[in-house]
């Protein structure tokens, strides 16, 4: 069985007039593959921002500058570990705003 795939332009969701370097996608530990796929589909860089230590604690650090950029946070709050995932998203949003992101 052959599966037909269509090549999509890297900016198929964004108008040509938008500079994709003004956008960043951050993800926590819930589903980094989803964030990478979504960001890659529109030509935006994605970064993992959360690290889980052996004792279960979470550390969130922004790996790149977000000053004057639009930040998207891709993080599910599925049926397992909702509290951890929600806190990762909230910490990433707070850190982005504190570091000068234009919009989160």
């Amino acid at each position: 069985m052959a599966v037909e795939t269509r090549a999509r332009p890297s900016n198929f969701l964004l108008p040509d007039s938008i500079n994709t370097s003004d956008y960043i996608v951050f993800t926590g530990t819930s589903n980094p593959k989803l964030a990478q796929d979504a960001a890659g589909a529109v030509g935006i860089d994605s970064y993992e921002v959360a690290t889980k230590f052996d004792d279960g604690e979470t550390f969130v650090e922004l790996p790149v500058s977000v000053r004057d950029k639009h930040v998207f946070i891709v993080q599910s709050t599925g049926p397992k570990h909702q509290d951890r995932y929600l806190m990762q998203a909230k910490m990433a949003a707070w850190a982005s705003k504190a570091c000068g992101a234009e919009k989160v």
Side-chain angles (χ1 to χ4, degrees):
M1 173 191 236
V3 176
E4 181 182 336
T5 59
R6 296 182 197 175
R8 290 182 287 202
S10 63
N11 62 349
F12 76 100
L13 291 177
L14 299 174
D16 292 332
S17 62
I18 293 178
N19 184 0
T20 57
S21 65
D22 292 337
Y23 296 85
I24 296 177
V25 173
F26 288 147
T27 182
T29 58
S30 71
N31 200 339
K33 176 82 170 107
L34 174 66
Q36 291 168 354
D37 291 347
V42 292
I44 300 173
D45 293 329
S46 69
Y47 302 92
E48 293 185 38
V49 296
T51 303
K52 189 176 127 187
F53 294 112
D54 292 336
D55 65 354
E57 296 293 323
T58 300
F59 176 71
V60 172
E61 180 178 27
L62 305 182
V64 294
S65 173
V66 296
R67 184 165 305 281
D68 299 326
K69 296 191 185 273
H70 296 263
V71 176
F72 294 91
I73 299 170
V74 178
Q75 179 80 330
S76 70
T77 56
K80 192 174 182 184
H81 307 299
Q82 309 92 315
D83 55 343
R84 178 181 304 147
Y85 297 152
L86 181 61
M87 286 308 297
Q88 288 176 9
K90 290 181 80 151
M91 287 189 293
W94 176 84
S96 296
K97 282 307 263 184
C99 291
E102 186 174 323
K103 278 197 170 202
V104 178

